[in-house]
Amino acid sequence: MYEPMEELKITYEDPKSLTLDPKNARQHPEPNRKAINSSLKEFGMRKVAISAWERNRTVYAGNALVTEAIAQGRDRVPVAWIPENWTEAQ
């Protein structure tokens, strides 16, 4: 049976208020970081590509976007919040 999904909570946050995931396995080489930086400069944030845990503000996805947003001096990025009651397995 279909279970209705919880509504996605999206807010705009200061990227400096988020904690980068110390266990993030995806490391971006310099060419990738430059491409992300250029895309942000040209288009801005056109999608919510940052997901963070509500309980501790740790970024689960979008660590490179947060890093480049900070480098550009941006003070707001869209964040989709992972519900506090979810486990990492979910």
Side-chain angles (χ1 to χ4, degrees):
M1 173 172 230
Y2 172 74
E3 292 289 327
M5 182 182 259
E6 225 178 289
E7 218 175 86
L8 188 61
K9 178 181 171 188
I10 299 172
T11 60
Y12 282 80
E13 304 291 330
D14 182 337
K16 290 182 269 179
S17 75
L18 302 171
T19 302
L20 297 177
D21 184 357
K23 297 184 286 183
N24 182 24
R26 189 166 186 190
Q27 299 300 314
H28 294 277
E30 185 65 23
N32 288 75
R33 290 194 307 271
K34 283 183 179 179
I36 293 167
N37 195 296
S38 294
S39 178
L40 279 175
K41 281 182 184 170
E42 186 170 348
F43 304 110
M45 296 289 287
R46 295 285 148 218
K47 63 179 182 173
V48 180
I50 300 167
S51 297
W53 294 98
E54 277 186 314
R55 65 177 161 261
N56 59 13
R57 301 181 68 83
T58 299
V59 176
Y60 175 75
N63 285 275
L65 279 170
V66 171
T67 300
E68 295 308 317
I70 291 169
Q72 288 183 6
R74 292 177 181 267
D75 61 356
R76 287 175 21 114
V77 294
V79 177
W81 294 100
I82 299 168
E84 198 165 319
N85 61 340
W86 280 21
T87 66
E88 285 195 43
Q90 288 176 297

